[in-house]
């Protein structure tokens, strides 16, 4: 796709809605975490940061109830996961889902639900067509169910798509069109959106372009105006976002849908897990994007305010790392609600992010490699492999926040990750006698050794199940070694 593969190559999770200055800012709130912040704490954090829109990837009851307490000032997008698309092929199932996850929350819990995201990047190339034939029928049935429930004018259907659904034959925005192999499917989906007054939601990721192509012009990913301009028939593009966005606009126009509203479903920059993923570049990108859209100028092909969701609100340590180790580090906040860097959303008096309040941590203790243990111990390799497999070692490696640790530091980091995720249980720091508990924080420099927050018991079944599974496997592994 030439210079424009600007897409997030794998589906995910969480994002900030940056609509017009009048509409306010929102956030994509993902929950693929071993220890979630309680919904009430996150909702307060959203409000204190002036974030007025939130996008979810499901319709979790506790989350929606907490959002309802914030009142109508917080607009909500709920989601239907891809694995439910075939089920939504039944109108009866769609009606039941809308009744349980939309109608009840609007009428009983005062939740201001405005959108239902049916699927998440279902046309992604890597899904090999799995959801091509189930996405549109699901959208149609959910739309019908919303109308039957009397919500057709209040709640709109959409479907977040990856930017790989379009491409440019010329390498310029004006060459944009829907990808040839799925052209018919995308056209039908857009016609449905157009007919029903629903927005086209697209996810755009300059970081991914840099990640997959070492020759990508780095400056073009940012908004500083330092990149060599791209000339498209007299129209100049100085950043990838505008060019990618307008590639979509051209694709829509060529297929007769030039007036369909566009929402940027996900856009952001990760802070760890890759040499180009750090707080400095994330701050540069996100602040640049905020400044870019705050002016309300839009793009050359779509002047006016841009409706966009920055990805994401909070780090998620249980996300799949198949796309890359950076997947767990998209948040502008850490897993425990601490701002990662200075970011002015234009919504607070201080001009900076406000951290989560009343976060409860486990006891201040960490699991580390025993000082008298030897780094050539044959049990270290299987122990490290196990700890990282069921913990989170994505901050270890070249160019990462903990990339400067020595061998002992790496082992300690892995042990501690597993220990914290398992709620600091004594048995989670044994590692064949290689681990020991310390009350001295081993964090150093840019490397933060996690201290886990208390489990959120609203989601206790899933979280405690994870712990039991991990420990059971640990005991099994130790018995066969």
């Amino acid at each position: 796709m030439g210079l424009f593969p600007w897409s997030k190559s794998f589906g995910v999770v969480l994002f900030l809605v940056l609509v017009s200055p009048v509409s306010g800012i929102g956030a994509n709130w993902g929950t693929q975490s071993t220890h979630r912040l309680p919904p009430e704490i996150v909702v307060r954090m959203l409000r204190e940061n002036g974030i007025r829109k939130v996008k979810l990837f499901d319709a979790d009851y506790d989350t929606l109830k907490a959002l309802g307490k914030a009142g109508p000032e917080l607009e909500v997008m709920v989601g239907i996961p891809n694995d439910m698309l075939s089920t939504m092929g039944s109108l009866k199932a769609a009606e039941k889902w809308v009744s349980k996850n939309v109608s009840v929350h609007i009428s009983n819990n005062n939740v201001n639900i405005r959108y239902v995201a049916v699927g998440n990047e279902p046309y992604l190339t890597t899904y090999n067509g799995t959801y091509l034939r189930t996405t549109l029928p699901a959208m149609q049935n959910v739309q019908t169910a919303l109308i039957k429930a009397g919500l057709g004018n209040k709640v709109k259907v959409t479907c977040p798509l990856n930017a790989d659904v379009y491409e440019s034959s010329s390498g310029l925005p004006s060459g944009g069109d829907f990808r040839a192999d799925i052209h018919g499917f995308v056209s039908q989906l857009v016609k449905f959106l157009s007919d029903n007054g629903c927005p086209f939601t697209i996810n755009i990721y300059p970081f991914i372009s840099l990640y997959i192509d070492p020759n990508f012009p780095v400056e073009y990913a940012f908004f500083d105006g330092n990149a060599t301009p791209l000339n498209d028939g007299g129209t100049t593009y100085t950043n990838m976002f505008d060019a990618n966005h307008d590639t979509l606009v051209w694709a829509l126009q060529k297929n007769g849908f030039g007036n369909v509203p566009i929402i940027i479903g996900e856009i952001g920059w990760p802070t760890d897990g890759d040499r180009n993923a750090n707080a400095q570049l994330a701050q540069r990108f996100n602040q640049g994007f905020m400044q870019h859209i705050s002016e309300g100028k839009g793009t050359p092909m779509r002047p006016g305010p841009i409706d966009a969701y920055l990805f994401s609100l909070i780090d998620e340590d249980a996300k799949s790392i198949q796309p890359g180790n950076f997947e767990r580090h998209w948040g502008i906040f850490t897993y425990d609600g601490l701002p990662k860097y200075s970011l002015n959303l234009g919504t607070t008096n201080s001009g900076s992010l406000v951290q989560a309040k009343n976060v409860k941590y486990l006891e201040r203790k960490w699991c580390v490699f025993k000082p008298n243990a030897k780094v050539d111990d044959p049990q270290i390799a299987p122990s490290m492999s196990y700890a990282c497999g069921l913990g989170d070692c994505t901050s270890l490696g070249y160019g990462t926040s903990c990339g400067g640790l020595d061998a002992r530091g790496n082992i300690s980091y892995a042990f501690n990750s597993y220990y914290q995720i398992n709620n600091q249980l004594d048995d989670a720091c044994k590692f064949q006698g290689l681990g020991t508990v310390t009350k001295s924080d081993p964090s150093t420099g840019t490397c933060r050794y996690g201290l886990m927050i208390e489990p959120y018991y609203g989601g206790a079944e899933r979280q405690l199940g994870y712990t039991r599974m991990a420990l059971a496997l640990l005991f099994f592994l130790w018995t066969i070694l």
Side-chain angles (χ1 to χ4, degrees):
M1 286 190 284
L3 277 177
F4 298 152
W6 314 311
S7 57
K8 184 165 181 290
S9 299
F10 291 81
V12 27
V13 157
L14 216 148
F15 55 100
L16 237 222
V17 193
L18 302 164
V19 194
S20 67
V22 176
S23 299
I25 293 169
N28 190 328
W29 176 5
T31 56
Q32 295 186 58
S33 305
T34 60
H35 289 63
R36 291 177 56 188
L37 279 170
E40 293 78 10
I41 288 180
V42 178
V43 170
R44 178 178 177 180
M45 185 169 69
L46 288 168
R47 297 182 69 182
E48 292 188 346
N49 282 283
I51 296 169
R52 293 164 54 186
K53 302 192 179 188
V54 64
K55 192 272 186 186
L56 311 173
F57 290 92
D58 52 24
D60 177 71
Y61 180 84
D62 291 346
T63 299
L64 285 167
K65 192 156 187 185
L67 285 165
K69 293 177 182 177
E73 68 183 66
L74 261 175
E75 293 186 5
V76 180
M77 181 188 293
V78 294
I80 297 177
N82 291 338
D83 60 11
M84 290 181 64
L85 292 175
S86 59
T87 302
M88 293 298 110
S90 159
L91 178 57
K92 186 175 181 180
E95 290 175 349
K96 184 176 180 181
W97 189 92
V98 167
S99 175
K100 177 183 177 183
N101 299 290
V102 181
S103 301
V104 168
H105 286 292
I106 290 176
S107 59
N108 296 350
N109 296 330
N110 197 35
V111 185
N112 187 15
I113 297 176
R114 300 299 298 275
Y115 297 102
V116 176
V118 182
N120 185 58
E121 299 187 335
Y123 292 173
L124 199 64
T125 307
T126 49
Y127 289 147
N128 297 316
T130 302
Y131 307 109
L132 283 179
R133 301 184 187 280
T134 55
T135 301
L136 183 56
M139 295 176 69
Q140 292 168 330
N141 283 337
V142 172
Q143 171 75 9
T144 300
L146 287 168
I147 293 172
K148 282 190 173 184
L151 298 170
N153 292 326
K154 175 180 174 60
V155 184
K156 295 296 182 181
V157 168
T158 188
C159 177
L161 295 173
N162 187 281
D164 73 353
V165 299
Y166 51 89
E167 57 194 353
S168 173
S169 57
S170 64
L172 299 171
S174 58
D177 201 352
F178 302 138
R179 209 174 74 227
D181 60 316
I182 57 171
H183 193 284
F185 290 101
V186 179
S187 296
Q188 291 173 19
L189 187 149
V190 179
K191 183 179 187 305
F192 165 80
L193 295 174
S194 178
D195 291 346
N196 291 280
C198 300
F200 187 106
T201 301
I202 196 71
N203 301 339
I204 298 176
Y205 279 96
F207 170 81
I208 299 295
S209 296
L210 181 59
Y211 179 73
I212 63 177
D213 180 7
N215 296 316
F216 180 83
V218 177
E219 290 300 320
Y220 202 53
F222 299 95
F223 302 91
D224 307 327
N226 297 328
T228 301
L230 181 71
N231 189 310
D232 186 5
T235 301
T236 300
Y237 290 92
T238 59
N239 67 81
M240 201 191 79
F241 169 77
D242 284 355
N244 184 275
H245 180 280
D246 283 1
T247 303
L248 169 60
V249 175
W250 275 101
L252 292 170
Q253 287 187 359
K254 286 177 184 175
N255 290 280
F257 305 110
N259 294 322
V260 173
I262 297 174
I263 291 176
I264 307 303
E266 300 176 12
I267 185 168
W269 200 281
T271 57
D272 211 349
D274 180 70
R275 63 188 180 90
N276 290 312
N278 56 60
Q280 291 74 30
L281 292 180
Q283 194 275 343
R284 181 185 176 194
F285 180 84
N286 285 331
Q287 194 64 72
F289 182 68
M290 286 298 307
Q291 181 63 32
H292 187 59
I293 69 168
S294 69
E295 300 167 356
K297 294 179 181 178
T299 65
M301 292 295 291
R302 277 282 181 100
I306 290 175
D307 185 352
Y309 297 74
L310 184 66
F311 191 89
S312 64
L313 185 66
I314 307 169
D315 280 352
E316 300 169 78
D317 67 349
K319 286 185 65 178
S320 168
I321 57 172
Q322 185 180 5
N325 286 342
F326 54 82
E327 274 298 312
R328 296 176 177 173
H329 303 280
W330 288 97
I332 58 174
F333 291 93
T334 58
Y335 67 94
D336 50 350
L338 299 177
K340 294 184 182 178
Y341 45 84
S342 175
L343 183 61
N344 185 357
L345 300 177
T347 57
T348 63
N349 293 331
S350 66
S352 57
L353 297 175
V354 180
Q355 73 180 62
K357 303 283 198 312
N358 301 320
V359 177
K360 295 181 179 179
Y361 292 85
L362 299 180
E363 186 181 346
R364 286 185 59 81
K365 57 183 182 179
W366 296 261
C367 177
V368 296
F369 187 45
K370 274 187 176 178
N372 60 350
K374 297 182 178 179
V375 294
D376 59 355
D377 189 301
Q379 297 301 328
I380 288 177
S383 296
M384 280 279 289
S385 177
Y386 188 79
C388 289
L390 287 167
D392 179 19
C393 294
T394 55
S395 292
L396 298 176
Y398 174 71
T400 60
S401 65
C402 296
L405 297 178
D406 59 15
R408 304 190 74 89
N410 284 329
I411 299 167
S412 291
Y413 188 93
F415 285 6
N416 184 64
S417 173
Y418 181 84
Y419 176 67
Q420 299 293 341
I421 284 175
N422 285 284
N423 297 317
Q424 301 181 349
L425 294 179
D426 290 342
D427 286 329
C429 188
K430 288 189 174 178
F431 297 105
Q432 290 289 66
L434 296 173
T436 186
V437 175
T438 178
K439 293 195 174 184
S440 177
D441 187 350
S443 301
T444 175
T446 61
C447 185
R448 180 190 182 192
Y449 283 64
L451 180 65
M452 192 48 71
I453 58 178
E454 290 184 0
Y456 166 60
Y457 289 107
E461 182 176 347
R462 174 175 59 84
Q463 290 164 4
L464 295 179
Y466 181 98
T467 298
R468 293 191 190 103
M469 176 193 72
L471 286 176
L473 286 172
L474 177 63
F475 296 146
F476 173 72
L477 179 64
W478 266 206
T479 60
I480 64 173
L481 286 175

